[in-house]
Amino acid sequence: MSAFKKASVTGGQPRKDVLAPLKVTRILASKPVLPAEILSTILDLLPIPELLCFTRVSKRMREMVYDDTRWVQRLQLMGCWDEREARRKADALRIEKSRVQASMLQENDGNAAIGSNGSFDTANGAGKTGRSSTTIIDATQGNGVHGQPHRSGFKPRQARVDDGFDSVALTTTGGENTYFHDDNSVTGLTVFSQVHSVRGHARQEFAKIYRVLAPLYVDAVKCKKHTDATVFRKFRDPDQQAQMLANLSRFSDSDTSQGWRQRVNIFTALTEAFENAVFREFEQGLDSGDYQGRLRKYAHVLVSLNGGQKGVELFISRNPLTTSKDRIVSPLSALNHQVSGGILVEHSFKFFSDLSAAFNKQVTIIDQVFPASVNAIVPFLRRVGKEIISEHLTILFDEAHRKSIELYLKAVSAMYAQSLNFAASLRPGRDSGDDFYDTVDEIMADAFEPHIDLYLNEELVFFKTTSDAEVSGWERQLSEQDASMQSMYMSNVNRQADKRDFLTSFKKVVMMPVNVLPTFPISSPFGGKTATANALVNGETLETSQSTTSQPSTRPSTPGIMNSTALSNNRSSTPVPEPPTSELAAKAAIMNSRLEGIRSLFSIEVALNLVHAAKSSIERAAVFVKAGGHFSTDARHQCELVFVLLLQTLGTRHIKSGFDQAVDHLSNYNPRESSEHGGSGVTPLVTFLELVNVGDLIQQMLEVFYEQELIATNLTDRNDFLDPAVKEKKRFEQVLDERVAAGLNKGIEVLMAEVEYVCATAQKPEDFNPSTTSSSGSDVMDIGPSQAAKQVVEVVSSHTKMLVGSTDKNMLDVFNQEVGLRLFTVLCKHLKRQRISIDGAIVLISDMNHYFSYIATLRNADLALYFAALRELAQIYLVDGQAHAKELAAIIADGDRFRGIFRAEEVYEFAQRRADWHLVKKGVERAMYGIGCELM
């Protein structure tokens, strides 16, 4: 080590410290001047070559340029990025990475450390083979996802831009030769089909397109003349030129750099010039009719260029089917002026058949001219529907509506039904799709749409008007008949003479036998016998329908139903009696005529006419249910409204008013003033029951109509309690049941009045007290019911049997029970008016047994108790009161003997009707109440 030391220098200026400037320097943090958002916007405005140069500025700029989302956005602008495909490949890539990592871990666990030969240094990953950490990336890239697999091991990084744009110049100042390469011209036609949606490789996929189409695009926007463009010089076939222009137009959508609008406008002008030239060739081929040659060729060129919509429009507008409408049958020829209210179906059928044949012929030409990718048939059909079908329907319907509403309704329904056949006869094209016929139905619905609302409204108004006119005509006819009848009977009245023979004339003319309307062998709708109603609803005559019915009727006779015409004929053939000469006789004849006319207060013929009118309206409206959409909903609602209107007209205006008048006429009947009691039934009640049968038949007709026209055709749902048809049907049935119940109640009153009359007139005093007429006991007495009892049972049973099979079982049970209870009351009143001896008690007991036997046939246990008690009551007249007063008193006081029907006080009242009561009264009262006992 040197022993010399630095000598100190004295004098002079001191030396400055060389680090002094550094000591006073401050280190400031470097920050970017522009935010990332503005930088990203600037990058969007740069062309691709300058964008690649921008990546050399810094690592941060390189990351921004190479961001995968930037290139995915460009691919999306061109419509060649499929997100589902990218997601599917990303999932496959993730699975492959997991598999490679698992295999590497297994390999690391099973192998020992390897020396320097064929291995890396321990600092770079000791113990690993030639497949280094880059193996994961290499494996994913070599899995057929993108490019070829790399060799194992690292490669030294080259000093070039390896970003997919190898053949792209990094400056925009070069000429056209810088951008165009001959080896890429062939792949330009199919370049978009070679692009894949791979996340992380969107830049490389965009580079595939850019290398091929960018030179042609730049050349096209820079050339001075359209014909000088390289794309026209390199591709001589018009179809290939159209395909390249379509690809370039698609590529121009990704042009977002500065000045993109001017470039797009220039390229659009070039494309339009090419399209106009092709369009002129297409038009010349259409005029010459060269479908297989020039027209087909240039149609494919237009389709390749932009879908060929312009060519399709020209073909449709110049088509002879749309330009020569006069060849189609005139709409006015479908109206028949000779036949009232008729539509000539053959003329309408000819219109649609000719139109179908012409359309199918044009479909064949369209398949020859246009490729399968172009759907020119549906636009052509829409033009036909708008210009031919709609115009034809408008003229036809307006003229029909002007002539008559019924003609209009038939025309609309018939034309729509034929339009459905027309739609089914059309032939689809090669690639029309499975929804072709749905589209045809939609076009037909559009053609009828302007007329549907008016049609549905007119249909409902027409049915309402028709039904009101039918019922009003029937009511007017009844009114006129009633007025003429009163006029005829009152025309020869002598009021003074009437006062002198009041009772005589009344009894002679009050009731006369009437057999105008025959009985009806019908059954309840719940009984299952609906053959007659089916026949009437389907338009058959009742004579035919009844001849096919093999079941025998439970009624006395089985004639056919006569309509009002036959009824009028029968009435006219009946000899007209002489007009009465007294006012009372005239009024009695008027009442008799009204009772006779009970059965004609509502008509089966009117009901049939209304049902057939409703059926026609529903069938016409139901055609539009097949249209679907709101047409179907409106048509279903229309059918329900027609049915509701039918029920309201028949129920409220016709049947209900008829029953009310029948009950009112029936209330005026007084059997005690009538001389006609020889038959087995009460004539006015029999007549009313026939009216019930007619009402039941009408109800069955409506039930069959509801099942066939609404339920079977799925126009309504019987289980929907809020449905208007279901609600109105239940209300109609309720109204009918109420009217029938009110009439039967009045009929029961009339029947009981007849029973009282029979008991009062047919019951002889000697029936229950023979001692009043026989002087000695040697006379032989007939043991059996009296003639009065037989007549009562015959009258009551004949009326109860008439309802069997014509009403509901529940209503029949109620009717029978009410008849039985009222008969019990009448018999009790009748018994209290009689004087009964011990010998007459045998006849009384026979009568009570006869009544009980009849009640037993009704199979009503409650009624049987009443008449069993009445039978026991007859026993009190058989006991000898003088010898057995105590026993008689015990029978009277025994409440259990009469099952609680009669109390002891009531039995005591009946006992007072004994012929020997004045002899046995004291002993009976002493036994019952202790009267006459002395206290010891």
Side-chain angles (χ1 to χ4, degrees):
M1 186 173 181
S2 174
F4 293 100
K5 294 183 178 179
K6 187 176 182 179
S8 60
V9 180
T10 59
Q13 297 181 358
R15 297 178 59 184
K16 295 182 178 181
D17 190 0
V18 295
L19 300 178
L22 297 177
K23 294 180 179 180
V24 298
T25 303
R26 295 181 179 179
I27 300 176
L28 300 178
S30 178
K31 296 182 179 180
V33 180
L34 297 177
E37 291 80 4
I38 296 179
L39 288 176
S40 179
T41 304
I42 293 174
L43 293 180
D44 292 338
L45 297 177
L46 293 178
I48 297 300
E50 295 180 3
L51 188 64
L52 298 180
C53 293
F54 191 74
T55 59
R56 298 181 177 180
V57 174
S58 65
K59 182 178 179 181
R60 185 163 176 260
M61 297 301 103
R62 175 187 174 93
E63 292 176 353
M64 291 185 66
V65 173
Y66 283 6
D67 185 15
D68 198 60
T69 57
R70 183 179 304 280
W71 306 100
V72 169
Q73 182 180 4
R74 291 179 179 270
L75 293 176
Q76 288 177 344
L77 291 175
M78 293 184 291
C80 55
W81 178 265
D82 189 357
E83 185 63 28
R84 290 181 296 180
E85 180 185 357
R87 187 181 298 111
R88 184 172 60 254
K89 291 184 177 180
D91 294 340
L93 180 64
R94 186 165 49 252
I95 294 173
E96 182 65 20
K97 284 183 179 180
S98 302
R99 186 185 65 79
V100 173
Q101 288 179 352
S103 64
M104 290 176 60
L105 291 176
Q106 293 178 0
E107 186 176 358
N108 290 336
D109 294 340
N111 296 334
I114 304 176
S116 58
N117 293 331
S119 64
F120 297 104
D121 187 69
T122 55
N124 295 327
K128 295 182 181 180
T129 61
R131 290 188 291 267
S132 63
S133 60
T134 59
T135 307
I136 299 177
I137 301 177
D138 295 338
T140 58
Q141 293 178 352
N143 196 28
V145 178
H146 179 74
Q148 298 294 331
H150 295 288
R151 296 180 180 178
S152 60
F154 286 113
K155 292 183 179 181
R157 182 175 180 85
Q158 299 179 0
R160 64 181 180 86
V161 182
D162 188 9
D163 50 15
F165 297 89
D166 300 339
S167 60
V168 178
L170 301 183
T171 177
T172 59
T173 59
E176 62 179 32
N177 294 331
T178 306
Y179 294 94
F180 184 75
H181 301 275
D182 292 339
D183 56 348
N184 292 329
S185 60
V186 178
T187 60
L189 299 173
T190 59
V191 63
F192 285 103
S193 63
Q194 300 174 3
V195 177
H196 304 283
S197 300
V198 183
R199 291 177 179 175
H201 299 279
R203 186 180 72 257
Q204 289 81 356
E205 298 298 324
F206 178 79
K208 291 181 183 179
I209 304 173
Y210 191 86
R211 281 197 301 267
V212 177
L213 300 181
L216 297 175
Y217 178 70
V218 173
D219 175 77
V221 299
K222 285 186 176 182
C223 63
K224 296 181 180 180
K225 296 182 180 181
H226 296 157
T227 56
D228 296 339
T230 305
V231 65
F232 296 132
R233 291 187 285 108
K234 294 297 181 181
F235 299 95
R236 308 305 299 177
D237 183 54
D239 194 19
Q240 292 184 353
Q241 292 175 354
Q243 293 181 32
M244 286 303 302
L245 289 177
N247 291 342
L248 291 175
S249 177
R250 189 175 177 184
F251 175 76
S252 66
D253 294 337
S254 65
D255 185 6
T256 60
S257 60
Q258 188 175 8
W260 66 270
R261 192 180 301 275
Q262 291 80 2
R263 292 191 294 273
V264 170
N265 290 337
I266 294 173
F267 182 77
T268 302
L270 184 146
T271 304
E272 291 178 353
F274 177 79
E275 183 181 11
N276 292 334
V278 174
F279 187 75
R280 286 192 296 269
E281 296 292 335
F282 179 83
E283 187 176 6
Q284 293 176 3
L286 183 61
D287 294 337
S288 61
D290 188 8
Y291 300 120
Q292 296 289 346
R294 179 183 295 183
L295 190 63
R296 173 185 174 86
K297 175 182 178 181
Y298 289 102
H300 283 68
V301 173
L302 290 174
V303 171
S304 300
L305 180 63
N306 53 14
Q309 187 62 31
K310 191 174 181 180
V312 172
E313 294 177 355
L314 178 65
F315 180 85
I316 294 175
S317 61
R318 302 279 292 273
N319 193 273
L321 182 59
T322 56
T323 56
S324 303
K325 302 177 187 177
D326 54 344
R327 299 179 181 178
I328 306 299
V329 62
S330 174
L332 298 181
S333 63
L335 297 176
N336 188 359
H337 300 279
Q338 287 75 25
V339 181
S340 59
I343 290 288
L344 290 183
V345 181
E346 57 273 14
H347 282 240
S348 300
F349 174 77
K350 187 176 185 303
F351 165 74
F352 281 109
S353 61
D354 292 348
L355 186 61
S356 175
F359 180 83
N360 290 335
K361 180 179 179 181
Q362 296 301 318
V363 168
T364 304
I365 297 176
I366 290 175
D367 289 342
Q368 295 175 356
V369 173
F370 295 97
S373 59
V374 178
N375 188 7
I377 297 178
V378 173
F380 178 61
L381 181 60
R382 292 187 184 277
R383 179 72 66 87
V384 171
K386 182 178 181 181
E387 296 185 358
I388 298 180
I389 299 178
S390 296
E391 182 178 351
H392 182 91
L393 295 178
T394 301
I395 299 175
L396 174 64
F397 295 160
D398 290 346
E399 184 65 19
H401 191 276
R402 187 183 64 83
K403 289 182 177 295
S404 75
I405 298 299
E406 184 178 6
L407 183 64
Y408 168 75
L409 299 177
K410 292 180 179 180
V412 175
S413 179
M415 291 299 291
Y416 187 76
Q418 293 184 18
S419 68
L420 297 180
N421 298 330
F422 164 75
S425 65
L426 298 183
R427 186 179 68 84
R430 291 176 300 177
D431 195 21
S432 298
D434 297 334
D435 58 344
F436 172 75
Y437 289 104
D438 295 336
T439 305
V440 174
D441 293 339
E442 179 184 351
I443 294 173
M444 292 297 103
D446 293 339
F448 280 86
E449 184 175 8
H451 312 282
I452 295 300
D453 293 337
L454 177 61
Y455 162 76
L456 295 178
N457 182 59
E458 292 289 354
E459 186 72 72
L460 191 62
V461 172
F462 175 76
F463 177 73
K464 180 175 176 57
T465 305
T466 304
S467 58
D468 290 342
E470 185 75 22
V471 177
S472 299
W474 171 258
E475 293 174 349
R476 184 173 59 255
Q477 180 182 0
L478 289 182
S479 168
E480 293 174 355
Q481 290 180 359
D482 186 66
S484 61
M485 175 192 64
Q486 293 187 19
S487 174
M488 180 188 69
Y489 285 136
M490 299 296 291
S491 61
N492 195 20
V493 171
N494 186 349
R495 298 181 183 274
Q496 297 298 326
D498 174 64
K499 295 179 180 179
R500 292 192 296 268
D501 57 350
F502 176 83
L503 291 177
T504 304
S505 61
F506 186 87
K507 291 182 180 180
K508 290 181 179 179
V509 298
V510 139
M511 288 299 299
M512 299 183 67
V514 179
N515 291 313
V516 177
L517 189 65
T519 57
F520 301 93
I522 58 178
S523 62
S524 168
F526 305 99
K529 182 181 177 183
T530 57
T532 304
N534 272 295
L536 293 176
V537 170
N538 294 326
E540 301 176 7
T541 61
L542 194 75
E543 290 80 359
T544 305
S545 63
Q546 288 185 350
S547 64
T548 59
T549 305
S550 60
Q551 296 181 358
S553 173
T554 58
R555 308 299 304 278
S557 59
T558 320
I561 295 179
M562 298 182 297
N563 54 24
S564 59
T565 305
L567 189 62
S568 302
N569 295 335
N570 289 345
R571 286 181 176 177
S572 61
S573 61
T574 304
V576 180
E578 292 294 332
T581 57
S582 64
E583 182 178 2
L584 180 60
K587 290 183 178 181
I590 292 174
M591 186 186 69
N592 182 39
S593 178
R594 286 178 177 176
L595 292 175
E596 178 183 341
I598 282 180
R599 288 169 294 187
S600 61
L601 289 178
F602 52 82
S603 170
I604 191 71
E605 183 186 11
V606 173
L608 278 174
N609 293 337
L610 294 182
V611 167
H612 290 160
K615 182 178 181 181
S616 300
S617 297
I618 290 178
E619 288 178 350
R620 287 195 297 262
V623 176
F624 294 93
V625 176
K626 303 176 183 178
H630 70 279
F631 287 168
S632 177
T633 304
D634 295 344
R636 292 177 187 274
H637 184 62
Q638 176 79 9
C639 295
E640 292 178 349
L641 289 181
V642 171
F643 182 70
V644 168
L645 190 58
L646 172 65
L647 294 178
Q648 291 176 352
T649 304
L650 276 178
T652 305
R653 287 201 54 190
H654 197 54
I655 297 179
K656 183 176 180 297
S657 61
F659 270 116
D660 292 340
Q661 294 181 32
V663 172
D664 182 63
H665 294 169
L666 196 61
S667 302
N668 298 326
Y669 172 73
N670 188 357
R672 296 187 179 276
E673 299 174 350
S674 174
S675 59
E676 299 294 336
H677 299 283
S680 61
V682 183
T683 303
L685 181 56
V686 172
T687 305
F688 178 79
L689 293 180
E690 296 294 345
L691 187 68
V692 174
N693 288 334
V694 176
D696 182 70
L697 178 59
I698 294 177
Q699 182 181 3
Q700 290 185 46
M701 288 167 50
L702 294 177
E703 182 71 22
V704 173
F705 178 80
Y706 178 74
E707 292 289 337
Q708 291 183 355
E709 300 298 329
L710 295 179
I711 299 300
T713 55
N714 295 326
L715 295 178
T716 187
D717 184 10
R718 70 166 80 241
N719 298 322
D720 185 6
F721 62 93
L722 296 178
D723 187 81
V726 176
K727 292 168 61 177
E728 189 62 28
K729 181 174 178 290
K730 291 181 179 180
R731 195 177 77 86
F732 171 80
E733 294 173 352
Q734 181 180 1
V735 169
L736 185 61
D737 292 341
E738 291 176 355
R739 295 300 95 194
V740 170
L744 290 179
N745 181 60
K746 184 60 65 175
I748 292 175
E749 294 179 1
V750 173
L751 178 62
M752 292 302 107
E754 183 72 16
V755 170
E756 290 182 357
Y757 178 81
V758 171
C759 292
T761 57
Q763 192 76 64
K764 299 177 182 179
E766 59 271 17
D767 289 342
F768 299 147
N769 192 10
S771 60
T772 59
T773 58
S774 60
S775 58
S776 62
S778 60
D779 295 340
V780 179
M781 182 183 301
D782 294 334
I783 299 177
S786 63
Q787 188 66 27
K790 294 179 181 179
Q791 291 184 13
V792 168
V793 171
E794 184 179 2
V795 169
V796 175
S797 62
S798 63
H799 291 86
T800 55
K801 290 179 180 179
M802 290 177 65
L803 291 178
V804 176
S806 62
T807 56
D808 184 23
K809 184 179 183 300
N810 295 329
M811 181 178 292
L812 182 62
D813 293 341
V814 173
F815 177 77
N816 291 337
Q817 184 172 3
E818 188 67 20
V819 169
L821 292 176
R822 295 194 187 188
L823 177 62
F824 174 80
T825 304
V826 170
L827 292 178
C828 290
K829 291 169 58 179
H830 174 65
L831 195 58
K832 290 179 181 180
R833 291 194 294 263
Q834 304 298 319
R835 182 64 63 183
I836 307 168
S837 64
I838 296 178
D839 296 334
I842 298 176
V843 179
L844 178 62
I845 293 174
S846 300
D847 288 354
M848 296 302 112
N849 288 330
H850 189 57
Y851 291 137
F852 181 82
S853 300
Y854 163 68
I855 294 299
T857 60
L858 301 181
R859 298 179 181 179
N860 192 313
D862 297 334
L863 286 178
L865 293 177
Y866 282 91
F867 284 86
L870 196 62
R871 187 174 55 180
E872 292 292 335
L873 181 64
Q875 303 294 330
I876 64 175
Y877 302 103
L878 194 60
V879 179
D880 188 358
Q882 297 179 2
H884 305 283
K886 293 184 179 180
E887 287 79 359
L888 181 60
I891 294 175
I892 295 174
D894 188 4
D896 296 337
R897 184 183 187 91
F898 305 103
R899 297 177 176 86
I901 303 299
F902 296 110
R903 294 175 300 173
E905 293 80 1
E906 296 176 343
V907 178
Y908 181 79
E909 292 180 5
F910 285 106
Q912 293 177 358
R913 305 311 302 168
R914 289 175 59 98
D916 57 349
W917 178 250
H918 62 286
L919 300 177
V920 301
K921 176 181 179 182
K922 186 175 182 179
V924 173
E925 290 181 347
R926 182 184 298 112
M928 293 182 62
Y929 308 113
I931 299 177
C933 296
E934 297 180 357
L935 296 176
M936 299 300 293

